[in-house]
Amino acid sequence: MSFRKVVRQSKFRHVFGQPVKNDQCYEDIRVSRVTWDSTFCAVNPRFLAVIVEASGGGAFLVLPLSKTGRIDKAYPTVCGHTGPVLDIDWCPHNDEVIASGSEDCTVMVRHGAVVRPDSQVWLEAAGSTAKQRPQLATPPFPQVWQIPENGLTSPLTEPVVVLEGHTKRVGIVTWHPTARNVLLSAGCDNVVLIWNVGTAEELYRLDSLHPDLIYNVSWNRNGSLFCSACKDKSVRIIDPRRGTLVAEREKAHEGARPMRAIFLADGKVFTTGFSRMSERQLALWDPENLEEPMALQELDSSNGALLPFYDPDTSVVYVCGKGDSSIRYFEITDEPPYIHFLNTFTSKEPQRGMGSMPKRGLEVSKCEIARFYKLHERKCEPIVMTVPRKSDLFQDDLYPDTAGPEAALEAEEWVSGRDASPILISLREAYVPSKQRDLKVSRRNVLSESRPAVAPSSARPGASTSATSVPASIPSGGLTGAGEARKLDEVMQELRALRALVKEQGERIGRLEEQLGRMENGDA
């Protein structure tokens, strides 16, 4: 398809992508070869996780972001699965917790020993001297893992939680965007299960809404609904707590190859798929009227599934094709044609998978609005998307308040019918050194309490945010006595005053730059 060269006013019109230097890549990673249309990669501001090849089972690699360069073949992995790992997803409310779905997880016997499918253990049959290979006692289950604060030093084989409920391989795991410890899983049994991970409790079982394989699932902004793309070519919008179908569009894309659907921040649904003639398509849908798409664009005739990544802060959708060597990006607006092509990032090597960094992990001082982690056959290459700006000041228009790591609801509140939008944070604080920012950050998670290692969340109940975080970054005895506490308070007050001053001056400079731009354009 040839995109129309229409000049339209957009701050993202000049976004450009740039791969990092070789020494900032992650080399010698044996990326999984399993035939599954997953991203194979998940990333957060602390860790990079990649599904890798593993003998005798399934595994994924978890690396601190700073551990670039060549990765030793003996580097420890998360290897509790006994079949290939199909999907992984970091918890949005705890950067050390990750969920995984597998083709065949560890088999757990409720009363007895653990038996693995690849085990060499033989059992003697009752009433017979014949020996038989054991049958799988239970089907594959999604698992939840807690990564040590500084990364893995030895293979991690024991998950925090094993969620038992699916009867076939689990290909989709995705966390609720605003409720703590709520996880959705979907399997090749065409069943969607929603869990309270903190209690390992199955909250909802949706087993009659999908007649065929589920390709993907996406929550809406506040987690009250989710949409799904299915092999029967239908896109569905579902209320999980009522177990009802809110809306359905049959033959959203008429091609037979996999399609995907994601919710946008305003409640619209964005889909990728194939036409009857096997041309790749993008479409935008209004859930109030799914009869016809608001917009439909054809891209090309490649056969790789299109993976969409959405930034709710900028309304930009990045589309990465599996097996492609490019990333296309589009701005979604309220004006026809609604889907506006921005640009294409192209490289030489095809991508096996892709991960996207949450907004709070970006370098705002460099006007970075997105960062992708492109999987090659044996390496992971970060790709930085940047908006060119002359000013070194914080760019308010590029960085509106974004979803932070704090959960807006507890699982029990969500189950009771409450909904809440994400708790937003300002990225302006990214300019403050991390040690000072640590004084303001505090996360508490039920999963953390189930592990023996103490973290900042293990401070005494009722302690303030600052008091909880201080012991994590200052050695014991570093803040003894009222005098030092008073000094700390003075420093914090001065820091707050400086922040207010910087914000005020930044707004003034922004207004002056805008006025100067109008004068240069002859508008003033």
Side-chain angles (χ1 to χ4, degrees):
M1 172 182 175
S2 61
F3 297 100
R4 292 182 302 163
K5 298 296 182 181
V6 178
V7 178
R8 54 178 292 273
Q9 202 64 29
S10 171
K11 68 187 94 172
F12 306 113
R13 192 153 52 94
H14 301 294
V15 170
F16 69 96
Q18 186 172 11
V20 301
K21 296 179 181 178
N22 284 335
D23 60 353
Q24 294 176 291
C25 294
Y26 305 84
E27 301 277 356
D28 214 13
I29 295 175
R30 296 172 298 161
V31 178
S32 174
R33 296 177 178 272
V34 67
T35 54
W36 187 259
D37 285 318
S38 165
T39 59
F40 288 170
C41 179
V43 64
N44 68 25
R46 296 183 58 186
F47 295 108
L48 166 69
V50 179
I51 301 174
V52 294
E53 287 286 297
S55 58
F60 58 95
L61 197 63
V62 175
L63 300 170
L65 288 185
S66 59
K67 189 169 179 57
T68 54
R70 188 170 299 278
I71 307 301
D72 194 297
K73 291 181 180 179
Y75 194 87
T77 60
V78 180
C79 52
H81 288 291
T82 57
V85 178
L86 302 179
D87 197 20
I88 50 179
D89 192 33
W90 287 105
C91 176
H93 310 126
N94 188 329
D95 287 342
E96 297 173 7
V97 172
I98 187 169
S100 60
S102 168
E103 193 169 289
D104 186 15
C105 299
T106 300
V107 178
M108 302 181 65
V109 181
R110 196 171 292 276
H111 296 289
V114 173
V115 182
R116 299 171 184 253
D118 59 345
S119 172
Q120 299 301 311
V121 176
W122 292 66
L123 299 181
E124 185 168 320
S128 170
T129 57
K131 294 184 178 180
Q132 305 172 355
R133 282 297 302 267
Q135 298 298 311
L136 297 186
T138 56
F141 308 127
Q143 301 185 3
V144 179
W145 312 82
Q146 186 142 9
I147 308 301
E149 185 177 356
N150 298 317
L152 298 178
T153 55
S154 61
L156 185 58
T157 59
E158 293 298 326
V160 177
V161 182
V162 177
L163 304 171
E164 305 181 7
H166 286 285
T167 58
K168 292 186 179 179
R169 59 184 181 172
V170 179
I172 298 169
V173 288
T174 179
W175 294 90
H176 192 282
T178 61
R180 192 190 314 275
N181 291 337
V182 174
L183 177 71
L184 180 151
S185 64
C188 293
D189 51 7
N190 309 334
V191 174
V192 175
L193 296 179
I194 298 176
W195 309 86
N196 181 345
V197 173
T199 61
E201 175 189 4
E202 180 184 301
L203 299 176
Y204 302 102
R205 172 178 289 266
L206 309 175
D207 54 8
S208 61
L209 297 177
H210 296 92
D212 212 330
L213 179 68
I214 304 167
Y215 286 138
N216 91 298
V217 171
S218 171
W219 293 98
N220 68 350
R221 181 73 164 163
N222 66 3
S224 59
L225 304 171
F226 68 80
C227 65
S228 65
C230 184
K231 192 175 181 180
D232 67 351
K233 304 179 185 178
S234 292
V235 169
R236 295 174 174 85
I237 298 175
I238 294 169
D239 184 333
R241 288 171 294 196
R242 295 185 178 182
T244 56
L245 191 62
V246 177
E248 178 179 8
R249 166 64 184 181
E250 297 179 357
K251 294 186 178 180
H253 296 277
E254 296 190 358
R257 296 189 61 80
M259 63 181 190
R260 298 178 84 87
I262 58 172
F263 259 117
L264 305 185
D266 61 1
K268 294 183 178 64
V269 175
F270 181 89
T271 62
T272 64
F274 292 79
S275 70
R276 188 180 301 173
M277 303 303 292
S278 296
E279 292 182 311
R280 297 197 293 190
Q281 296 178 322
L282 311 175
L284 184 67
W285 306 84
D286 182 355
E288 300 296 325
N289 179 16
L290 292 177
E291 291 300 317
E292 294 293 332
M294 296 174 61
L296 178 66
Q297 293 188 12
E298 292 186 347
L299 296 185
D300 53 35
S301 55
S302 297
N303 59 7
L306 291 170
L307 307 176
F309 295 88
Y310 172 61
D311 179 5
D313 301 330
T314 60
S315 293
V316 174
V317 175
Y318 302 85
V319 179
C320 314
K322 272 211 151 184
D324 290 6
S325 56
S326 63
I327 302 174
R328 297 180 176 95
Y329 31 110
F330 304 81
E331 186 175 5
I332 311 297
T333 70
D334 295 328
E335 306 167 0
Y338 304 111
I339 303 175
H340 303 274
F341 173 71
L342 291 173
N343 211 336
T344 301
F345 165 81
T346 304
S347 58
K348 295 180 181 179
E349 297 294 326
Q351 51 225 17
R352 300 278 299 276
M354 192 75 72
S356 175
M357 173 67 76
K359 207 64 172 287
R360 58 192 173 90
L362 303 180
E363 292 191 44
V364 298
S365 59
K366 297 180 179 179
C367 295
E368 182 183 0
I369 64 165
R371 189 190 312 154
F372 294 96
Y373 288 75
K374 173 181 174 178
L375 299 185
H376 299 244
E377 189 172 347
R378 293 191 67 89
K379 82 171 183 178
C380 177
E381 176 187 39
I383 297 170
V384 176
M385 298 288 179
T386 306
V387 177
R389 291 286 171 93
K390 294 180 180 179
S391 173
D392 293 331
L393 293 173
F394 180 75
Q395 304 294 312
D396 296 84
D397 60 329
L398 297 183
Y399 301 106
D401 289 355
T402 190
E406 191 63 40
L409 296 171
E410 297 298 330
E412 295 76 13
E413 293 177 300
W414 182 74
V415 170
S416 71
R418 285 189 58 189
D419 293 316
S421 297
I423 296 177
L424 305 182
I425 60 171
S426 171
L427 293 181
R428 187 181 292 274
E429 293 185 10
Y431 284 98
V432 182
S434 59
K435 183 175 288 188
Q436 294 176 347
R437 279 191 289 131
D438 285 346
L439 294 173
K440 299 183 70 177
V441 175
S442 176
R443 287 193 295 273
R444 178 180 176 276
N445 194 296
V446 174
L447 290 169
S448 302
E449 298 173 354
S450 65
R451 296 183 61 82
V454 292
S457 58
S458 62
R460 66 186 185 281
S464 67
T465 302
S466 298
T468 302
S469 299
V470 166
S473 55
I474 300 178
S476 177
L479 279 180
T480 56
E484 293 193 30
R486 196 161 47 249
K487 288 179 183 177
L488 177 62
D489 188 51
E490 291 173 0
V491 170
M492 292 300 297
Q493 288 182 6
E494 185 177 355
L495 180 61
R496 282 192 289 268
L498 285 171
R499 279 184 188 158
L501 180 61
V502 169
K503 181 179 180 181
E504 182 182 346
Q505 295 300 325
E507 291 173 350
R508 183 166 180 265
I509 291 174
R511 289 193 298 270
L512 290 172
E513 286 179 341
E514 185 179 348
Q515 183 179 350
L516 179 62
R518 288 199 301 268
M519 293 173 66
E520 289 176 344
N521 293 332
D523 296 337

